[in-house]
């Protein structure tokens, strides 16, 4: 707003031109509301030596040159004017006093334009001044808003309307100012070029909510129906405030996630998505999406949105929780322990949410925790039974993972009770079952023979390991005498254990040596004895003699050393050979794990190398039959 002094500039100019030069002054521009009037102030001067008796003047519209026949607005000599100005123009000033002020009434838009004044002093003393005034016909008040309105800082908004019509005076009022402040009317003010304006001021402290508010000013003229309104939208500058953002987000691993950040500010903010100080995306916008394709557990965390402009900044965060099945559990701890030591094993995993962790062995639960990422298993004073395979299983609603681990318990050898010796025909097999860790060395001792056989002598000993059990089998062939004493000894770095192996199934040894053929011969002899007794009884009944006669056959006695009279010499030589071969002999053969005598052995003919009582009985039976 411009406050004017009481001494108009044009009077200074007129005073300076008193020296006798042609010159004029009028406002370069002037405005008025349509339907009202306007007074265009005008002053002119001419040389003093002319001294005219009468001074006349002419106002032209849009052209200063009469030869162009411009429309005449006013002419003091004839009062003849252009039809557009008939009844609308008159001279307010006194030309004799060098005042050429013009009044135009009933303004309409077509009257807007340039107005020129021509002085007519008579004869050739006529002069058209180059100075002119441009008339603007308006329909709205002028609302002046400061170039920058910042929220929280007081501002002054003014409403200015022209007041150049002496017949009609405007009155101003504010529209839509409720909640902003009360207006102040300054009244009528004069501008630098001699025109007048009516001014009303409005002071208030804007808020961000006032941005875009439509503020109006109304100019009305009393006793008329003329009303003119003008509006201006407030452009309130304010710092960003984040108004839209995701709450905490849960997403399943592998899914698509879209994070939204929206801010309210003027001007638009620079929105930036960041994570751990790294810029992920930024743009100048009201809102900004951050799209995460196939999220992984590594993208779990806190995401920050920063909004900033020239007037301030704001930020917000959102936590993204990626839900996923447990990872393969990790097992840390002692995997090898000596019997009696304390073992501590830690099983850990990662998952979201935290899993149920369970450690079990052979389907037996040993330890479990709920919604924990670690599980500690304590085994005080471990025993060989603690040796073996363990499972650590982690599970939540999104899946299950498991890890196996082995605990190796080292201990001194133990010879199990199923260790024993057994016979089958002419073979004796000794079974020694040892449980130990680490694997022991096993040896078989025959004290009566002063012989020790270890597992390295694979011709006589067969060994097989399964887990913690070592099974060693000693095989003795050609055993015709009583089974020897066998002592099994097992040794590792934690100790030594010995056990004399018991002999199982000793009553079967005789039948094992006789074999199936011997059984047939024995059965034939039994039949012969029955027949003999029957015949003897019959003779007794006939002769009535209480005693046997000298010619009767004597009772037959069977023994293993019985010599058959009258047998061929070949049988005698073969019998001697068989007796020699019945001496102790060690022969390496594949192990026979079933050491008991079975009926499946019937029908198997003994070899010549194992000539025994069975063959002798068979030979005797053959002679008796003959």
């Amino acid at each position: 707003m411009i406050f004017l002094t009481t001494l108009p500039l044009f009077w200074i100019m007129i005073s300076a031109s008193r020296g006798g030069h042609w010159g004029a002054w009028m406002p370069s521009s002037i405005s008025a509301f349509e339907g009202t009037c306007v007074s265009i102030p005008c002053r002119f001067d001419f040389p003093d030596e002319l001294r005219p008796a009468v001074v006349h003047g002419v106002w032209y519209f849009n052209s200063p040159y009469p030869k162009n026949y411009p429309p005449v607005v006013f002419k003091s000599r004839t009062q003849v004017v252009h039809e557009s100005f008939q009844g609308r123009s008159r001279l307010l000033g006194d030309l004799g006093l060098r005042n050429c002020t013009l009044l135009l009434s009933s303004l309409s838009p077509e009257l807007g334009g340039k107005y020129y004044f021509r002085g007519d002093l008579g004869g050739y003393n006529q002069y058209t001044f180059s100075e002119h005034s441009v008339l603007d016909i308006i329909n709205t008040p002028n609302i002046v808003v400061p170039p920058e309105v910042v929220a929280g800082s007081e501002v002054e908004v003014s409403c200015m309307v022209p007041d150049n019509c002496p017949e009609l005076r405007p009155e101003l009022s504010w529209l839509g100012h409720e909640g902003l402040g009360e207006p102040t009317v300054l009244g009528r003010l004069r501008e630098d070029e001699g025109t007048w304006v009516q001014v009303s001021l409005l002071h208030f402290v804007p808020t961000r909510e006032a941005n875009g508010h439509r503020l109006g000013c109304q100019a009305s003229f009393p006793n008329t129906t003329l009303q003119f309104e003008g509006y201006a939208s407030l452009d309130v500058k304010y710092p960003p405030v984040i108004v839209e953002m995701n709450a905490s987000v849960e997403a399943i691993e592998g899914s698509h996630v879209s994070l939204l950040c929206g801010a309210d500010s003027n001007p638009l903010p620079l929105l930036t998505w960041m994570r751990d100080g790294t810029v992920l995306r930024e743009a100048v916008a009201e809102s900004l999406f951050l799209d995460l394709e196939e999220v992984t557990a590594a993208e779990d965390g806190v995401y920050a949105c920063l909004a900033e402009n020239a007037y301030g900044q704001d930020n917000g965060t959102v936590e993204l929780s990626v839900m996923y099945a447990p990872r393969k559990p990790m097992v840390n701890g002692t995997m090898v322990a000596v019997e009696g030591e304390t073992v501590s094993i830690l099983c850990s995993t990662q998952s979201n949410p935290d899993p149920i962790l369970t450690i079990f062995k052979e389907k037996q639960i040993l330890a479990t925790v709920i919604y924990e990422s670690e599980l500690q298993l304590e085994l005080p004073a471990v025993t060989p039974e603690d040796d073996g395979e363990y499972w650590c299983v982690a599970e939540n609603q999104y899946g299950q993972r498991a890890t196996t681990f082995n605990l190796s318990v080292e201990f001194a050898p133990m010879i199990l009770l199923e260790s024993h010796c057994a016979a089958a025909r002419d073979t004796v097999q000794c079974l020694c079952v040892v449980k130990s860790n680490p694997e022991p060395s096993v040896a078989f001792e025959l004290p009566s023979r002063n012989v020790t056989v270890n597992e390295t002598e694979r011709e006589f000993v067969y060994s097989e390991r399964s887990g913690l059990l070592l099974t060693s089998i000693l095989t003795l062939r050609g055993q015709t005498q009583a089974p020897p004493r066998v002592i099994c000894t097992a040794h590792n770095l934690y100790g030594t254990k010995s056990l004399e192996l018991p002999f199982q199934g000793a009553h079967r040894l005789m039948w094992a040596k006789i074999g199936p053929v011997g059984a047939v011969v024995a059965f034939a002899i039994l039949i012969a004895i029955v027949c003999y007794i029957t015949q003897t009884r019959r003779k007794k009944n006939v002769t009535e003699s209480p005693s046997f006669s000298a010619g009767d056959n004597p009772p037959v006695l069977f023994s293993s050393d019985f010599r058959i009279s009258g047998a061929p010499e070949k049988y005698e030589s073969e019998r001697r050979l068989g007796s020699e071969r019945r001496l102790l002999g060690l022969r390496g053969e594949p192990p026979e794990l079933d050491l008991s005598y079975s009926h499946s052995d019937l029908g198997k003919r003994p070899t010549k190398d194992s000539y025994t009582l069975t063959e002798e009985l068979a030979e005797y039976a053959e002679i008796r039959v003959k």
Side-chain angles (χ1 to χ4, degrees), residues 394-405:
E395 60 181 332
N396 62 14
Q397 61 264 44
Y398 299 102
Q400 181 189 84
R401 294 294 298 272
T403 294
T404 62
F405 61 94

Side-chain angles (χ1 to χ4, degrees), residues 296-307:
T296 64
E299 295 173 291
D300 186 287
V302 177
Y303 291 76
C305 176
L306 176 65

Side-chain angles (χ1 to χ4, degrees), residues 209-287:
E209 289 76 20
N211 183 48
H213 182 78
R214 197 163 180 256
L215 186 63
C217 178
Q218 185 185 74
S220 60
F221 295 85
N223 302 319
T224 68
T225 59
L226 298 175
Q227 281 188 347
F228 302 93
E229 295 179 355
Y231 291 91
S233 293
L234 297 178
D235 184 19
V236 181
K237 310 296 184 182
Y238 53 92
V241 173
I242 294 179
V243 295
E244 188 176 12
M245 197 167 189
N246 302 83
S248 296
V249 177
E250 288 187 358
I252 300 176
E253 187 175 29
S255 64
H256 172 267
V257 174
S258 184
L259 303 179
L260 171 64
C261 177
D264 175 34
S265 73
N266 187 27
L268 288 176
L270 172 64
L271 294 177
T272 306
W273 275 108
M274 295 184 297
R275 179 170 182 259
D276 296 333
T278 301
V279 175
L280 304 177
R281 190 184 181 194
E282 62 180 3
V284 176
E286 291 183 356
S287 60

Side-chain angles (χ1 to χ4, degrees), residues 63-271:
S63 177
Y65 305 109
K67 63 180 181 180
N68 293 333
Y69 302 103
V72 176
V73 178
F74 174 80
K75 190 173 184 179
S76 61
R77 283 185 181 272
T78 62
Q79 302 295 321
V80 177
V81 298
H82 189 270
E83 60 181 354
S84 300
F85 295 97
Q86 289 181 359
R88 292 182 171 185
S89 62
R90 64 189 175 96
L91 195 65
L92 293 181
D94 186 348
L95 296 178
L97 298 177
R98 305 181 186 189
N99 187 335
C100 53
T101 301
L102 176 69
L103 177 65
L104 298 174
S105 59
S106 300
L107 297 175
S108 58
E110 66 271 13
L111 300 184
K114 298 177 181 179
Y115 288 82
Y116 294 88
F117 179 70
R118 179 179 176 84
D120 182 3
L121 305 182
Y124 293 103
N125 295 319
Q126 296 182 18
Y127 188 84
T128 300
F129 299 97
S130 61
E131 291 83 357
H132 62 278
S133 183
V134 178
L135 175 61
D136 184 20
I137 309 299
I138 64 174
N139 289 300
T140 59
N142 181 29
I143 298 177
V144 180
V145 180
E148 184 175 76
V149 179
V150 180
S153 299
E154 186 180 35
V155 296
E156 177 186 273
V157 179
S158 63
C159 177
M160 304 177 64
V161 296
D163 190 8
N164 297 307
C165 179
E167 301 172 356
L168 296 171
R169 298 295 182 189
E171 292 181 355
L172 299 179
S173 60
W174 288 94
L175 305 175
H177 69 288
E178 295 81 4
L180 295 179
E182 293 300 323
T184 301
V185 178
L186 292 180
R188 191 168 183 259
L189 299 176
R190 191 172 186 173
E191 297 179 298
D192 289 341
E193 292 186 331
T195 58
W196 295 87
V197 293
Q198 190 76 248
V199 180
S200 179
L201 302 179
L202 184 65
H203 291 87
F204 61 95
V205 177
T207 63
R208 67 176 57 246
E209 289 76 20
N211 183 48
H213 182 78
R214 197 163 180 256
L215 186 63
C217 178
Q218 185 185 74
S220 60
F221 295 85
N223 302 319
T224 68
T225 59
L226 298 175
Q227 281 188 347
F228 302 93
E229 295 179 355
Y231 291 91
S233 293
L234 297 178
D235 184 19
V236 181
K237 310 296 184 182
Y238 53 92
V241 173
I242 294 179
V243 295
E244 188 176 12
M245 197 167 189
N246 302 83
S248 296
V249 177
E250 288 187 358
I252 300 176
E253 187 175 29
S255 64
H256 172 267
V257 174
S258 184
L259 303 179
L260 171 64
C261 177
D264 175 34
S265 73
N266 187 27
L268 288 176
L270 172 64
L271 294 177

